């Protein structure tokens, strides 16, 4: 916050509040140094649709539901991670910490 205030040129005393809100899951990952690995993937992104389709064909969605009480969708973290593992192996290998996008703002 300090850096943002300094770079904006706004008088910090003029700030009366800061709010953070978010929706959905999505994905944001950092490496061991806390550096971002790649751009975030929002929960509206459907690139993991093939993974979810495959899980449904294999019946894995039922097993996931019995654990999480939630059907997998392309925008949920487990689906995005599966896509990343299959399509961006070097990014996947660097992951140390995972955040939902809105949680990264708080971090």
């Amino acid at each position: 916050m300090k850096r943002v205030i300094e770079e904006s040129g706004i008088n910090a005393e003029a700030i009366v509040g800061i709010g953070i809100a978010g929706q959905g899951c999505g994905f944001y990952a950092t490496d061991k140094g806390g550096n971002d690995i790649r751009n975030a993937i929002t929960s509206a992104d459907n690139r993991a649709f093939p993974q979810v389709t495959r899980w449904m064909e294999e019946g894995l969605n039922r097993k996931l539901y019995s654990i999480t009480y939630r059907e997998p969708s392309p925008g949920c973290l487990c689906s995005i991670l599966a896509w990343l593992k299959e399509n961006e192996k070097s990014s996947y290998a660097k992951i140390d910490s995972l955040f939902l996008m809105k949680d990264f703002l708080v971090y």
Side-chain angles (χ1 to χ4, degrees):
M1 292 303 302
K2 182 179 178 181
R3 181 179 58 83
V4 171
I5 292 169
E6 288 173 357
E7 290 177 7
S8 71
I10 294 172
N11 180 351
E13 293 178 15
I15 299 172
V16 294
I18 297 172
I20 295 176
Q23 172 276 329
C25 295
F27 164 91
Y28 194 86
T30 59
D31 63 16
K32 289 182 180 176
N35 303 302
D36 61 318
I37 291 172
R38 64 171 326 281
N39 288 342
I41 300 175
T42 72
S43 59
D45 189 297
N46 283 321
R47 72 184 74 201
F49 188 79
Q51 284 74 16
V52 173
T53 300
R54 185 175 68 237
W55 294 343
M56 294 179 99
E57 291 168 354
E58 296 170 356
L60 184 59
N61 62 312
R62 291 187 297 279
K63 184 175 181 179
L64 287 170
Y65 187 85
S66 72
I67 297 167
T68 65
Y69 298 102
R70 182 175 178 189
E71 289 285 336
S73 69
C76 69
L77 187 57
C78 64
S79 307
I80 295 169
L81 278 173
W83 179 90
L84 198 74
K85 186 175 183 179
E86 293 177 20
N87 294 280
E88 292 185 14
K89 291 175 176 54
S90 62
S91 294
Y92 183 85
K94 295 176 189 174
I95 295 173
D96 181 68
S97 298
L98 296 170
F99 299 90
L100 299 181
M101 290 173 49
K102 61 185 176 278
D103 298 326
F104 184 76
L105 294 173
V106 175
Y107 168 75

